[in-house]
Amino acid sequence: LRGFGATGTGVVRPTFSAPDMASRRWLRDRMEDAGLDSFIDGVGNVIGRSRNPGPALIIGSHSDTQPEGGWLDGAMGVIYAIEIARTLAENAATSQLAVDAVAWSDEEATYTSCLGSNSFVDTLTKGDLANTNDAGESVGEAVARVGLASTPRARLEPLRHIGYLEAHIEQGPHLHESGHRIGIVTEIVGIRGFHVSFVGEQNHAGTTPMARRKDAGVAMFEFGVVVQKRLSAAAGPASVWTIGDARLEPGAESIIPGFAELKLQFRDPSDSTLDTMAAAVVELALELDARGPVQVTATPSRELIAPTVMDDDLRRHLCLVAQGRVPGSWVEMPSAAGHDPMVLSEHIRCAMLFIPSIAGISHDFAEDSNHDDIVMGCRVLGDAAVSILSEHS
C-alpha cells in the first residue's frame, strides 16, 4: 500500500488524488482476494463485505494521508482488517465469523474531515459536500471527477453490524517511552478552536512614535505569550494546545501591521476542562481588548468535537487479549489525535488499539514502528475480533 504515492520513506496520497484512487482500486482487489465482496462507494470508501450473514464486526481505518504523511498512519489499520478477514476465513474454527473491512475516505480532511465515516452513518451534510481542498475543488466536484457521482454510498447496517474496531499507530511518544507494546484507547479527546483577530492601525514603521502606535502584531505576540500561561493554569494532565497559524497584514518590514490573526486549537478528554480552557481564552481576549489600543476578538473557529468514549465491552475483550499476548506490557490510555470513531461512535459501538510510534513521530515522512509491534498489534486485534464475534454468535 505504501507504494501508492511513495515519497522517500513517506507517502503523499491525499484524498481523490491519482495515487489515492489507484490505491483504493488495489485495496478493493486485496479485499476480494481475502474472500470479501468488495466495492468502492460513492465517496471513495473501500468496503469489503463478508459473505457470512453476521453478526459482523467492521474493522478498518483510513487510507488517505496528510500532504506529507507517514506510511502507517491509517494504512496499517486497513491492512489489519484485510489480514484478519483473510485469516478468519482460512481457519475452519473461525470461517463462519463475519468481518467487514473498510478503508475510509478523507479522514485527514483534504476536503472535509472524516468524509467516509460521516457518509457511512448518514451524517454527511450539503455543507460537507461543498467543502473544498486547497485548490478550490469541492467534494462534489472531486467525486464527479473520479467517476463516483452516480455510485451509491455504503451505509451502516444496524441489524448486521455489532461494533467497529480500529488499530492505529499511537502518533505520540507515550507507548514508546514507557515500553508498553499495546495501548487500549479509553476515549478520544475533544477538540476546540478559536480564531483570534487583532485590529490596530497600519502606519509607517519609521515615522510613527512608539507611544502612538496601534500595532496589531505586538498585541498578537503578547496574546501568544500570555495564553500559554493561562492555558497551563486551566489545563488537565492530558491537555494540549497549539497556535498553528498566525498572520500579519500587510506583512512588510517597514509597515506597522494594522491587522493580525492567529488560530488556536486545544484538546482534552474532559468536556469540563475544555470549557475551562475556552473560558480562559475568551477572558484574555476581553482583557486585552478593554486595555487597548488594539481591538481583540476571540471567535470559535470550528464545530465543537466532544470527547468520544470507547465502548466498555469491546475494550474488555481487547484488554483480556492484550494481557494474554503481552502480559504487563499494555496500558489503557486516551487518544490525543482524532479518528473516525469520533463520528461512528454515536451510531455503533467502537474500540481502538494503539501500537508504539518510534520516537512519537507521525504526520511526517520519518514516521515508523517496529516490525514486531506491527505484527503484535494485528494479533491482538484479530484475537479480540474472534472473542467478540464468538460471544455474539
Side-chain angles (χ1 to χ4, degrees), residues 34 55 64 100 150 179 190 238 242 251 264 266 283 318 352 368 370 375 381:
D64 62 300
D100 293 353
S150 61
T242 305
L264 169 69
F266 47 95
E283 182 181 20
L318 285 169
M352 290 192 70
D368 206 1
N370 289 316
V375 172
L381 196 73

Side-chain angles (χ1 to χ4, degrees), residues 32-335:
E32 287 285 344
D33 293 344
L36 304 172
D37 293 329
S38 63
F39 60 97
I40 301 173
D41 83 348
V43 293
N45 290 326
V46 189
I47 308 291
R49 194 177 191 277
S50 172
R51 292 161 191 162
N52 293 329
L57 274 176
I58 307 169
I59 303 179
S61 189
H62 64 96
S63 57
D64 62 300
T65 74
Q66 285 283 321
E68 293 187 3
W71 73 287
L72 291 167
D73 180 1
M76 185 189 75
V78 174
I79 299 302
Y80 275 19
I82 298 172
E83 175 65 3
I84 291 168
R86 183 194 64 78
T87 302
L88 266 57
E90 289 180 354
N91 188 331
T94 57
S95 61
Q96 80 285 0
L97 302 178
V99 165
D100 293 353
V102 62
W104 302 117
S105 176
D106 206 21
E107 190 266 1
E108 297 287 13
T110 297
Y111 293 83
T112 189
S113 180
C114 298
L115 169 66
S117 52
N118 270 298
S119 175
F120 190 69
V121 295
D122 204 22
T123 54
L124 198 62
T125 67
K126 289 183 179 179
D128 294 328
L129 293 172
N131 285 342
T132 64
N133 65 2
D134 288 344
E137 181 183 51
S138 70
V139 174
E141 290 167 341
V143 165
R145 172 174 56 79
V146 299
L148 296 175
S150 61
T151 303
R153 300 182 203 164
R155 291 287 191 269
L156 176 70
E157 301 175 50
L159 297 180
R160 172 182 174 82
H161 294 134
I162 61 171
Y164 172 74
L165 299 181
E166 178 169 324
H168 210 280
I169 57 171
E170 182 200 346
Q171 300 182 281
H174 302 291
L175 293 176
H176 179 76
E177 292 180 354
S178 68
H180 291 104
R181 298 190 64 191
I182 297 291
I184 309 300
V185 177
T186 52
E187 64 265 314
I188 301 172
V189 297
I191 306 175
R192 307 278 182 95
F194 278 92
H195 175 199
V196 187
S197 63
F198 306 84
V199 180
E201 183 176 270
Q202 182 176 325
N203 213 329
H204 195 290
T207 62
T208 309
M210 296 303 292
R212 297 187 59 177
R213 296 184 180 210
K214 298 179 181 180
D215 191 325
V218 169
M220 180 177 73
F221 298 137
E222 181 180 2
F223 178 92
V225 171
V226 178
V227 81
Q228 178 78 9
K229 299 175 182 177
R230 298 288 180 89
L231 290 180
S232 294
S239 301
V240 294
W241 56 93
T242 305
I243 296 175
D245 189 19
R247 177 169 71 92
L248 300 175
E249 289 185 1
E253 182 181 0
S254 294
I255 301 176
I256 299 166
F259 178 80
E261 64 179 354
L262 61 80
K263 295 178 182 177
L264 169 69
Q265 183 193 97
F266 47 95
R267 305 181 183 210
D268 192 86
S270 164
D271 255 332
S272 62
T273 300
L274 290 170
D275 288 341
T276 303
M277 296 173 78
V281 172
V282 172
E283 182 181 20
L284 174 58
L286 290 171
E287 286 178 16
L288 295 179
D289 182 70
R291 191 188 71 193
V294 173
Q295 298 175 16
V296 182
T297 306
T299 307
S301 61
R302 61 184 300 152
E303 183 178 347
L304 300 186
I305 297 177
T308 303
V309 178
M310 298 293 98
D311 180 77
D312 285 341
D313 184 57
L314 298 184
R315 281 176 48 219
R316 173 177 62 84
H317 287 273
L318 285 169
C319 291
L320 288 172
V321 171
Q323 180 59 22
R325 284 284 192 178
V326 287
S329 191
W330 64 279
V331 65
E332 293 187 276
M333 62 186 297
S335 170

Side-chain angles (χ1 to χ4, degrees), residues 14-28:
T15 302
F16 297 133
S17 65
D20 178 57
M21 293 309 300
S23 75
R24 291 180 186 280
R25 293 187 289 271
W26 181 86
L27 284 168
R28 177 194 60 199

Side-chain angles (χ1 to χ4, degrees), residues 181 369-377 379:
R181 298 190 64 191
S369 291
N370 289 316
H371 174 79
D372 289 348
D373 290 332
I374 296 173
V375 172
M376 183 54 69
R379 286 176 171 159

